[in-house]
Amino acid sequence: MSSPSPPTPAGKASTSTSPSTTKAKDAAGEVQPVGTLQSSQAHTLRFAHPALLASLFLARFGSLVADPVAEMQAALPIVWVLQAAYAVVCLPAAGSQGAAARKPKARPGEKRRPGAADGAGPNISVTTLVASVLSVISAVALHVALVLFGAPFLTHLPHTFLCALHLALLGLFPLFYTRGVASAEWLEIMGARAPFDEAFGGMVGACVGAWVGAVPIPLDWDREWQKWPVTILCGIYAGYLVGKLVGGTVAFGKRFGGSS
Amino acid sequence: MPTRSARPKAPTTDYKAIAAEWAKAKRLKEADDAAKQPQPSRTKDDVQHTALEARRKTAFERRCSWSVGFWIWMLLVHVVGILLFTSGFLLTRLVLDERSDCANPPSEPLLEWDGKGTIDGGCWHPKTFNKAVVVLIDALRYDFTVPVAEDQAEVYHNALPFLYESSVQSPNNAFLRPFIADPPTTTLQRLKGLTTGTLPTFIDMGSNFAGTAIEEDNLLIQLRDQGKRIVHLGDDTWTALFPDYFQPNISRAYDSFNVWDLHTVDNGVLDHIFPLVKPGRTGEWDVLIGHLLGVDHAGHRYGPNHPAMTAKLEQMDQFIRNLTKEIDDETLLIVMGDHGMDGKGDHGGESEDEVEAALWMYSKKPVFGRTRSEFVTPPATAKVRPVNQIDLVPTLALLLGIPIPYNNLGGPIEEAFAGPKGSAWDHLAAAFSVTAAGIKRYQASYFKARGIEQGAKPGSPVSLWNEAQGLVEKDAKSQPWESLYNAYVAYQNETLRVCKDLWARFDVPKMVLGICIMAFGVIVLLLYVSKDEDEDFAVLDDVELDFAEKSLELQGATPGPDIPSYKTLSKSLVKAAMVGGVLTAVAGGAAVFFSGSEEWLLVAAGSAIGSMVAVTGALHQAGGKSISNLLPTTFWGWLSVTFTLSQSIGFASNSYTIWEDSISLFFLSTFGFTSAIAALRLPNIAERTLAVYHSILFILLGRVASFSKLCRDEQMPYCTSTYYASANSSTSAPWQLVVPFAVALILPSIIKSYMRTSRSYEGLAPAWIGFVFRSVLLLVAAYWTIDAADNAEWLATLSETTLKTIHVSIAQLVLALVLVAGTTAFVWAPPCVSILTTSSNNRTAQITVLGYGNTNGARYLFLPVNIAGACILLSKPMGQGAIAIMLWQILSLAEITDLNRLTAETIGPVVLALLGNYHFFKTGHQAVLATIQWDSAFIPLTTIRYPWSPMVMVLNTFAGQILACVAVPLLVLWKTSPRRKGVLESTGQALGTLVAFYAVQSLATMAWAGWLRRHLMLYRVFSPRFMTAAAVLLTVDLVGIAVTLLGVRTNVLAISEVFGFAD
């Protein structure tokens, strides 16, 4: 079990995450937390990213309440760029950790470059693209999940889908970026057994936030912001930011339910 | 090895044990069969074995009885808690015995007239009419009587135009005004208000099914005492309220509760009223009351938006037209509704549509007037110039010259006393003066009887009265009539307001005591269900240990000294409860008896508390349970606490109470997703896949069921009802008939597939599930098809009675099959197992028991299936789909709890309880009185019969919770073998968790209703939710004892008959 120490450099964190080759037998404990990169840009962006997201959300909250669909649509590219930049700069791409762990990336201060040069590392732009596509696809599943929780089935389709898309971009995009599509890892993530890191913490936070976000909807306060899906979106953003922070710091490496 | 063995897995030994057991059982059976033949030498072993089984059986039966005893005690505690709270919470009003007297008016009348103070001239006011015909059209809503523009009109509009037309055309002969009822808008309560002139109190409401005679002073007492002869035709509620008041040979009463019958009562009234108003027979009566029910029944049966309603209203229109032609000059004709109806044609609550009725008065001689010319046109809506229903009492009394009943709080209606020119202010003021004096007299006696002082602040009734009196004394000869009149009106209005406030006075100490008892009860129940760490008998399934134990018991012949504590817990609890309860009851009883106070309810409360203290002690001593056991230790424990508590806190808000259906779905989905996540942690791929599948299925089914919706008023406009054909209807749409057929087609196959996975579709199962249950469901579908045909008149060739007979016969057949035959089958059915004997060689025969791993669960499943069958019959088509889905979800839940190892957790029963609540909403109910489906009482019966009709109502209303309660053992027993120990105790704990959930809801709604007793939404939201929760709790308690526990007992006995007792 990894220690609950503060964010470990990528090197220490992963020794075995070359997913295709992992032995899937004793999956528990196999998946290691993913630390953020140690470059100075990574440090800066790691702190700038939540601030940017939060200020974007707060700045656009008024127009979100006024016209949720238009605002969610307009914010989508910005959020995507923010997430992609955060992932590229701060997080190791899927498949890179093995290589990174061995030697080359451990050097502090070295600029992250597309691993194509090594031949073994992943292509950052391809990873980003794949992660984006996967996020969009999984947004459909999230949309279904929202409906199963009681979201309108036939009406408000763009509202629900855009909300799911935001959830996917925040919660799932970093996971797709760092974990790829390794089934063993995703089994642990879906089973909530994966160790906390920024990406997993962010996803858990976003989901819990979305859940809590449903609480004020039934109240008869007749406020504009109670309209679908504003509160859910609030929950997602707040939950994501908190979850990412907690997952990247105090909870780093810990798992749900102790060590089981 | 075809069977799925119970956990922990010990395939080989387990198998050996089964084989041995079977060989033994077979040997026994052979021995029995061969009893007649010369006795083969019975081994000592066999004798001992039989003795052991017999001892275990009696021990088990004794444990069952103690367990039932414990639950009866729990039920009593709940009853006491609810009774105490209700007695303080439901409003009470003191009934005064004083009566008004013709010769003693409350104040000297302001006018002088001939025959003053006598019945011939008018007791308290000059008499206007000698006779009156009062026609009460039940549920005559105000908008039925006023014109509505063609493009906005519904089918029920403009069908009864006569009242409006006559008041516009001849204002001196007729007037029409909105007539506002004081809720509750049930006919019995309304009749009390319309005759006594007082406000109804909440507590009388329950007596609608068996009306009791009115003791208070009222119009009919006054009429009778003044020698007037009263004839009554129609609704028999009157004869229950006023026994022996009516002229015996010419009065006709008709059964009022058969809401399917639109015509019998009406035709009876119509046939008998016209001969009586013919000139030759008017001498036989003075007041003629006709109460017609057709409009009300059309509403209950079809909803207002149905051609039957139009036809009914047109018939009423014609009837009133004819009646006005027949009556003479000396007769007053009154046509009124006692309440309105809501969008679905029901009533009982206090929504605007329910309280807004119509009042129309007519006289051949011109007596009515308007004080202002714009009052000639009747108001377009009931919001404008309404009169209170109690205003009828002084109006009618003064017009007929009799005294106003003593308890009256209403005021005379302006039009009736304003004179044809509309300027008879002296008559108006005089009428109001004597009415106001009566009110003042009543107030004085009421305050005296209650021992309260009346305040005399400015604006209070006392000061308003003094102001009015001041006007009188200033100038005796030329009174300022108009301002005098206005002063009395102000006094009457203010008094009425004060009285409404006053009778909303709660008995807070009793409410608090009731809440305390409920809270204590919840704690005791939670202690009972809490688990010790070493109390793992549920999972303990060790064959070796079992064998050792058995041989010990065999050798020792006497039960060992250290019997596991779970076996004796119920016994010691019941004993403790008895000791504690009886001691405090005796002490309390003596105190009450000697002090002479009549507070027997407090004795019950003391007894409940005493017994609970004793039981808590016993739980601590015998069960080793303390408060610290209550804290959840696992994620699932916390999840159950979250579900239960967050909903309970939510009941403090009217919004969360209103949207409870959506919130339940939210929680159910949350459980489904968490269980899917937990399932992904399972190491075994097959189990993992199955568990995820069932979790997802559980969520999907819940979401599908959510499309069956019946919205309450407060959910508008964010909700669309789908339960009935339309928002203004209480019948199903034709396309909804697909549902019962789909249920008949699919549900048995689904049950079969769940039994198949454990190879339990054996024994009686194929015959019962595959044939009988499917036939039952097909019969149900046939029933509802005929019902739809009847409603839409597809089968016009068949008479209503023939259809009704076919109807009722099918329904009774279905109930006989599922309840009578079903129970018999459940008692006698062998376990759902099948024995294969394959012999590999001559010496050893291999015995394989198919379905062994689910012996307990599969056989018990018959019981919930049968109950579900009864519930399906008694629900409307959409509800049938919901119940079928619920049964499916229950099966999935049983699989989930088994696969995710949750059988010992509290989450299973909590989710089941939530599921029960959820399907309460999905079967067309809401926590408001108006959604009670009264017509379901007539599914298997043609008339009201006790106790069957109330039982049918309960099965219809609480189908979800009842099914949940009956299904509790499935969560414990599903996929367990006959070796499972402590079946009764584990089921008891699971049942305890389910009951605890409902008890917490009951406690929470109770506490919030008490705390928010001055809230605007008290009677619309909080009070009905409390009543629902209390009714659910008591129902679940009863069902738990009578069905669940006895069902488990039967099941264990039947299985142990074959496999031997596990403990």
Side-chain angles (χ1 to χ4, degrees):
Chain A
M1 223 42 44
S2 52
S3 63
S5 57
T8 350
K12 201 180 168 191
S14 48
T15 45
S16 62
T17 5
S18 174
S20 50
T21 53
T22 2
K23 286 172 278 169
K25 247 169 78 184
D26 44 29
E30 193 77 13
V31 175
Q32 298 300 317
V34 178
T36 43
L37 297 173
Q38 288 299 80
S39 66
S40 58
Q41 295 103 315
H43 267 302
T44 324
L45 195 55
R46 213 179 136 221
F47 295 109
H49 166 251
L52 282 172
L53 271 181
S55 46
L56 171 75
F57 189 81
L58 290 176
R60 302 303 299 167
F61 186 74
S63 49
L64 176 73
V65 171
D67 187 352
V69 171
E71 183 52 38
M72 282 194 289
Q73 217 161 7
L76 213 51
I78 309 172
V79 175
W80 179 75
V81 166
L82 272 174
Q83 286 297 90
Y86 158 71
V88 168
V89 176
C90 304
L91 298 175
S96 71
Q97 294 159 343
R102 301 283 137 75
K103 258 145 247 162
K105 289 288 153 74
R107 265 172 268 155
E110 191 200 28
K111 193 186 181 236
R112 251 188 90 79
R113 289 166 357 135
D118 282 355
N123 184 325
I124 296 288
S125 50
V126 170
T127 312
T128 313
L129 188 68
V130 169
S132 312
V133 172
L134 286 175
S135 302
V136 173
I137 294 171
S138 57
V140 177
L142 289 176
H143 181 118
V144 173
L146 287 174
V147 170
L148 286 179
F149 270 104
F153 176 54
L154 290 174
T155 60
H156 296 79
L157 282 178
H159 299 72
T160 312
F161 185 70
L162 282 169
C163 181
L165 212 49
H166 276 262
L167 177 57
L169 267 187
L170 293 188
L172 293 179
F173 179 81
L175 277 171
F176 281 123
Y177 186 84
T178 52
R179 304 288 185 182
V181 286
S183 60
E185 298 191 10
W186 274 99
L187 191 62
E188 291 215 353
I189 292 168
M190 299 288 285
R193 275 185 304 172
F196 271 98
D197 50 33
E198 285 207 348
F200 182 65
M203 185 197 71
V204 170
C207 289
V208 171
W211 192 89
V212 174
V215 171
I217 295 178
L219 287 169
D220 60 350
W221 295 345
D222 289 327
R223 299 301 160 95
E224 256 317 83
W225 53 260
Q226 279 178 293
K227 73 162 88 153
W228 179 257
V230 174
T231 53
I232 307 285
L233 210 63
C234 285
I236 290 172
Y237 273 84
Y240 173 69
L241 296 177
V242 173
K244 179 171 166 283
L245 182 71
V246 173
T249 53
V250 279
F252 187 82
K254 289 182 183 163
R255 292 165 195 263
F256 271 125
S259 57
S260 67
Chain B
M1 183 65 199
T3 56
R4 189 185 176 289
S5 59
R7 234 169 277 105
K9 290 187 172 49
T12 8
T13 39
D14 209 17
Y15 176 71
K16 274 182 197 158
I18 306 161
E21 199 60 54
W22 257 90
K24 214 174 265 177
K26 265 191 151 184
R27 236 181 301 144
L28 270 178
K29 203 159 189 244
E30 277 160 14
D32 279 353
D33 290 342
K36 289 172 213 132
Q37 284 159 26
Q39 198 76 9
S41 63
R42 279 181 130 197
T43 59
K44 192 183 166 211
D45 219 29
D46 274 343
V47 176
Q48 274 188 335
H49 182 81
T50 326
L52 177 73
E53 283 298 310
R55 196 163 59 227
R56 284 190 166 185
K57 187 177 175 191
T58 41
F60 173 75
E61 284 172 336
R62 219 174 296 130
R63 271 155 57 207
C64 281
S65 309
W66 285 117
S67 215
V68 166
F70 172 77
W71 281 102
I72 290 177
W73 170 74
M74 201 73 240
L75 168 69
L76 289 179
V77 168
H78 290 155
V79 168
V80 170
I82 289 170
L83 262 187
L84 258 176
F85 179 81
T86 329
S87 72
F89 177 67
L90 294 186
L91 308 177
T92 47
R93 175 172 59 85
L94 213 60
V95 173
L96 300 181
D97 295 329
E98 283 99 329
R99 290 188 186 174
S100 297
D101 181 17
C102 188
N104 290 317
S107 71
E108 194 52 32
L110 295 174
L111 297 176
E112 287 297 329
W113 70 96
D114 291 341
K116 181 177 176 181
T118 67
I119 188 62
D120 295 325
C123 288
W124 298 357
H125 192 79
K127 178 165 89 172
T128 319
F129 296 98
N130 285 322
K131 291 173 182 293
V133 175
V134 179
V135 173
L136 214 165
I137 300 178
D138 212 287
L140 182 66
R141 203 163 78 187
Y142 186 68
D143 68 333
F144 293 172
T145 64
V146 285
V148 172
E150 276 306 321
D151 51 331
Q152 291 163 13
E154 303 281 354
V155 293
Y156 48 80
H157 282 139
N158 303 329
L160 178 54
F162 180 64
L163 308 184
Y164 183 86
E165 283 168 12
S166 55
S167 0
V168 175
Q169 282 161 12
S170 47
N172 290 341
N173 300 95
F175 69 89
L176 172 66
R177 283 182 73 174
F179 200 38
I180 305 299
D182 296 300
T185 47
T186 54
T187 295
L188 180 131
Q189 286 294 337
R190 293 292 75 247
L191 293 188
K192 285 188 178 176
L194 283 168
T195 53
T196 60
T198 49
L199 299 170
T201 41
F202 213 72
I203 198 123
D204 302 329
M205 224 172 90
S207 48
N208 202 346
F209 264 107
T212 44
I214 298 183
E215 304 289 336
E216 274 178 289
D217 194 7
N218 62 64
L219 277 177
L220 274 78
I221 287 185
Q222 290 299 339
L223 286 167
R224 193 181 57 175
D225 288 356
Q226 307 305 331
K228 305 265 185 189
R229 290 152 304 166
I230 314 166
V231 172
H232 161 256
L233 303 169
D235 187 342
D236 64 355
T237 314
W238 285 86
T239 44
L241 288 174
F242 305 101
D244 307 324
Y245 279 60
F246 306 119
Q247 295 300 101
N249 293 321
I250 41 180
S251 294
R252 296 276 187 284
Y254 298 90
D255 184 19
S256 58
F257 281 118
N258 191 350
V259 295
W260 291 93
D261 181 351
L262 306 190
H263 300 298
T264 306
V265 182
D266 288 7
N267 292 344
V269 176
L270 265 56
D271 290 347
H272 290 100
I273 203 168
F274 285 108
L276 287 172
V277 294
K278 290 266 191 282
R281 295 187 65 188
T282 45
E284 295 177 30
W285 53 270
D286 296 298
V287 173
L288 178 52
I289 298 165
H291 189 149
L292 300 108
L293 289 172
V295 174
D296 181 53
H297 286 184
H300 281 303
R301 183 168 173 186
Y302 302 110
N305 211 352
H306 191 277
M309 180 62 85
T310 323
K312 205 74 225 176
L313 290 170
E314 281 165 356
Q315 183 194 16
M316 291 299 116
D317 190 63
Q318 199 54 47
F319 163 59
I320 300 163
R321 279 175 206 269
N322 294 340
L323 202 55
T324 53
K325 288 178 194 137
E326 298 290 340
I327 60 164
D328 60 24
D329 282 3
E330 286 307 304
T331 306
L332 166 70
L333 173 60
I334 299 176
V335 175
M336 62 188 179
D338 56 346
H339 49 75
M341 59 174 74
D342 67 6
K344 296 191 317 315
D346 297 321
H347 56 87
E350 50 188 87
S351 69
E352 281 169 359
D353 278 345
E354 288 167 278
V355 300
E356 292 170 353
L359 170 73
W360 178 77
M361 288 202 190
Y362 175 85
S363 147
K364 280 224 159 134
K365 61 180 177 190
V367 288
F368 302 129
R370 312 286 191 281
T371 53
R372 281 195 226 164
S373 57
E374 64 261 34
F375 292 167
V376 170
T377 314
T381 71
K383 312 283 176 297
V384 187
R385 296 192 69 230
V387 292
N388 286 318
Q389 292 203 345
I390 51 174
D391 294 345
L392 179 78
V393 173
T395 310
L396 193 57
L398 295 181
L399 286 176
L400 291 177
I402 59 170
I404 300 171
Y406 194 86
N407 299 332
N408 167 61
L409 290 171
I413 297 169
E414 196 177 89
E415 276 85 344
F417 299 94
K421 294 203 183 78
S423 55
W425 291 107
D426 51 342
H427 272 74
L428 266 174
F432 237 106
S433 147
V434 78
T435 311
I439 294 172
K440 185 172 183 296
R441 185 174 66 173
Y442 168 61
Q443 288 294 295
S445 354
Y446 189 88
F447 280 98
K448 202 173 144 209
R450 274 238 110 139
I452 331 173
E453 288 290 314
Q454 287 192 70
K457 284 184 301 210
S460 71
V462 175
S463 73
L464 285 172
W465 173 259
N466 291 338
E467 277 171 37
Q469 287 308 99
L471 289 171
V472 178
E473 284 155 3
K474 232 183 284 173
D475 188 350
K477 200 65 202 156
S478 59
Q479 300 276 14
W481 294 111
E482 193 172 344
S483 38
L484 197 53
Y485 167 70
N486 289 329
Y488 283 126
V489 171
Y491 167 74
Q492 187 254 337
N493 284 337
E494 179 60 18
T495 312
L496 192 60
R497 199 194 59 73
V498 169
C499 286
K500 281 184 177 169
D501 243 29
L502 181 73
W503 288 324
R505 179 158 293 182
F506 301 93
D507 189 343
V508 177
K510 270 195 183 149
M511 285 159 66
V512 171
L513 193 57
I515 292 172
C516 289
I517 287 178
M518 286 300 286
F520 200 175
V522 167
I523 291 173
V524 172
L525 199 53
L526 289 177
L527 278 176
Y528 176 73
V529 303
S530 69
K531 287 186 176 64
D532 284 339
E533 272 155 39
D534 55 335
E535 204 189 293
D536 274 348
F537 63 84
V539 227
L540 196 86
D541 199 2
D542 190 330
V543 176
E544 305 286 320
L545 199 72
D546 191 40
F547 188 73
E549 189 185 298
K550 232 176 188 179
S551 33
L552 252 176
E553 227 175 308
L554 270 173
Q555 286 158 14
T558 45
D562 46 320
I563 314 168
S565 67
Y566 72 86
K567 287 188 181 177
T568 54
L569 184 63
S570 290
K571 185 178 173 182
S572 46
L573 292 186
V574 175
K575 282 185 172 167
M578 296 250 265
V579 171
V582 168
L583 279 183
T584 34
V586 167
V592 167
F593 184 77
F594 288 116
S595 68
S597 66
E598 294 282 300
E599 297 286 3
W600 294 104
L601 204 52
L602 291 183
V603 180
S607 175
I609 291 175
S611 62
M612 280 193 283
V613 169
V615 168
T616 315
L619 274 168
H620 190 65
Q621 197 117 62
K625 301 183 181 194
S626 61
I627 299 291
S628 59
N629 286 43
L630 295 188
L631 216 62
T633 48
T634 61
F635 168 75
W636 297 107
W638 282 110
L639 196 63
S640 350
V641 170
T642 310
F643 285 166
T644 317
L645 276 191
S646 56
Q647 217 175 10
S648 299
I649 295 167
F651 285 134
S653 141
N654 48 347
S655 315
Y656 289 122
T657 312
I658 289 165
W659 290 99
E660 195 187 341
D661 48 352
S662 306
I663 293 165
S664 305
L665 174 69
F666 188 69
F667 283 151
L668 288 174
S669 295
T670 305
F671 168 75
F673 274 103
T674 43
S675 94
I677 289 171
L680 285 169
R681 297 175 160 211
L682 290 175
N684 181 323
I685 283 212
E687 282 196 351
R688 187 198 300 155
T689 320
L690 259 181
V692 171
Y693 163 74
H694 284 298
S695 306
I696 301 292
L697 183 68
F698 181 83
I699 308 170
L700 268 176
L701 288 172
R703 188 67 173 96
V704 170
S706 76
F707 291 107
S708 163
K709 259 189 253 180
L710 180 80
C711 309
R712 53 191 290 169
D713 288 352
E714 295 85 356
Q715 288 181 328
M716 298 300 175
Y718 305 106
C719 176
T720 323
S721 292
T722 55
Y723 197 73
Y724 297 114
S726 74
N728 290 328
S729 156
S730 60
T731 51
S732 300
W735 69 264
Q736 288 172 339
L737 279 179
V738 176
V739 176
F741 285 100
V743 168
L745 214 61
I746 300 171
L747 187 60
S749 310
I750 287 167
I751 298 171
K752 179 180 168 182
S753 74
Y754 276 86
M755 295 181 86
R756 269 275 171 87
T757 52
S758 58
R759 310 254 178 156
S760 304
Y761 200 62
E762 304 288 346
L764 192 62
W768 194 259
I769 306 288
F771 183 70
V772 179
F773 188 57
R774 198 182 287 272
S775 315
V776 161
L777 293 177
L778 281 173
L779 280 174
V780 171
Y783 173 92
W784 286 98
T785 312
I786 297 175
D787 178 74
D790 186 14
N791 288 338
E793 288 169 4
W794 296 338
L795 298 168
T797 46
L798 286 170
S799 78
E800 186 110 340
T801 19
T802 326
L803 275 176
K804 186 72 196 162
T805 316
I806 302 175
H807 240 166
V808 170
S809 320
I810 295 180
Q812 288 178 346
L813 177 64
V814 167
L815 288 183
L817 276 173
V818 292
L819 296 183
V820 182
T823 310
T824 318
F826 179 69
V827 173
W828 295 108
C832 296
V833 293
S834 168
I835 301 133
L836 292 181
T837 316
T838 47
S839 125
S840 47
N841 55 50
N842 293 341
R843 293 179 54 81
T844 53
Q846 277 210 336
I847 300 169
T848 316
V849 186
L850 293 183
Y852 181 78
N854 192 12
T855 317
N856 284 324
R859 194 185 174 286
Y860 185 82
L861 182 60
F862 287 139
L863 191 58
V865 163
N866 289 337
I867 301 286
C871 295
I872 285 177
L873 169 76
L874 298 174
S875 297
K876 299 252 160 70
M878 284 302 265
Q880 296 171 10
I883 292 171
I885 286 178
M886 177 172 176
L887 195 58
W888 194 351
Q889 283 185 291
I890 288 173
L891 289 167
S892 269
L893 185 62
E895 288 283 349
I896 293 171
T897 48
D898 173 63
L899 291 165
N900 274 342
R901 322 289 196 260
L902 299 177
T903 41
E905 293 281 353
T906 51
I907 189 75
V910 166
V911 169
L912 195 58
L914 256 176
L915 199 61
N917 268 355
Y918 178 62
H919 284 279
F920 166 77
F921 297 107
K922 297 301 123 191
T923 48
H925 299 96
Q926 287 284 352
V928 287
L929 287 170
T931 59
I932 296 177
Q933 296 166 16
W934 297 107
D935 53 350
S936 66
F938 296 97
I939 291 171
L941 295 166
T942 45
T943 52
I944 296 281
R945 260 194 271 160
Y946 296 92
W948 310 115
S949 302
M951 278 169 75
V952 167
M953 293 305 309
V954 168
L955 262 178
N956 167 281
T957 309
F958 300 123
Q961 288 97 340
I962 289 175
L963 193 55
C965 180
V966 175
V968 164
L970 279 185
L971 300 186
V972 180
L973 300 182
W974 194 247
K975 303 217 167 158
T976 59
S977 73
R979 301 255 53 84
R980 173 72 152 85
K981 291 180 177 222
V983 165
L984 181 71
E985 287 70 21
S986 313
T987 320
Q989 289 191 334
L991 181 65
T993 313
L994 179 106
V995 171
F997 177 88
Y998 289 126
V1000 169
Q1001 289 214 325
S1002 198
L1003 170 68
T1005 51
M1006 185 185 267
W1008 293 127
W1011 181 253
L1012 300 166
R1013 60 190 179 277
R1014 302 286 176 198
H1015 195 283
L1016 191 66
M1017 288 289 183
L1018 179 69
Y1019 287 121
R1020 284 180 84 138
V1021 174
F1022 299 111
S1023 187
R1025 188 63 190 88
F1026 154 66
M1027 291 195 286
T1028 313
V1032 164
L1033 179 62
L1034 297 182
T1035 309
V1036 166
D1037 273 341
L1038 280 172
V1039 171
I1041 295 167
V1043 184
T1044 311
L1045 280 181
L1046 291 187
V1048 169
R1049 180 182 187 272
T1050 312
N1051 203 43
V1052 169
L1053 285 178
I1055 287 169
S1056 308
E1057 187 89 357
V1058 179
F1059 293 101
F1061 282 84
D1063 59 351

